[in-house]
Amino acid sequence: MSTLHVIEPRPGEVGFRVFRAPGTVDQGFVYIDGPGGEDLRCGHCARVLMRGVRQVLPVSDLLFQCPRCHSLNAVAQPR
C-alpha cells in the first residue's frame, strides 16, 4: 500500500484538475478499482482512494479529493 501526496494549492492557483466523489459515498468508494496489486491511500487520513492499481504514472496536475477528510491528494509531488 502506498500513500499519496497531500497538496495544498495556493488561493487562486490554477492548473489542477480535481476529482471529487459524486455526492455522499459509502466506505467502499474508490476512484479506481482495478485488477492490480497496489492500493493508494490518502496522505492525510489513510483512506484507500485507489484499489488494485497496476502502475501509477506521476501526473502532477491531477488531484483526488478524499471523501473522508477532503484533503487533495496527488500521485506525484507538483513541480
Side-chain angles (χ1 to χ4, degrees), residues 12-30:
E13 186 174 7
V14 295
F16 293 106
R17 174 160 288 179
V18 179
F19 289 90
R20 292 180 172 86
T24 304
V25 295
D26 64 20
Q27 186 62 22
F29 171 82
V30 292

Side-chain angles (χ1 to χ4, degrees), residues 1-3 34-40 50-56:
M1 192 173 293
S2 296
T3 302
E38 184 72 24
D39 292 344
L40 300 174
M50 298 177 213
R51 180 176 42 237
V53 177
R54 286 187 182 164
Q55 179 181 10
V56 179

Side-chain angles (χ1 to χ4, degrees), residues 21-64:
T24 304
V25 295
D26 64 20
Q27 186 62 22
F29 171 82
V30 292
Y31 287 101
I32 296 172
D33 193 2
E38 184 72 24
D39 292 344
L40 300 174
R41 59 187 174 176
C42 173
H44 183 259
C45 72
R47 184 189 194 282
V48 174
L49 299 180
M50 298 177 213
R51 180 176 42 237
V53 177
R54 286 187 182 164
Q55 179 181 10
V56 179
L57 300 176
V59 181
S60 60
D61 61 343
L62 295 179
L63 302 178
F64 298 88

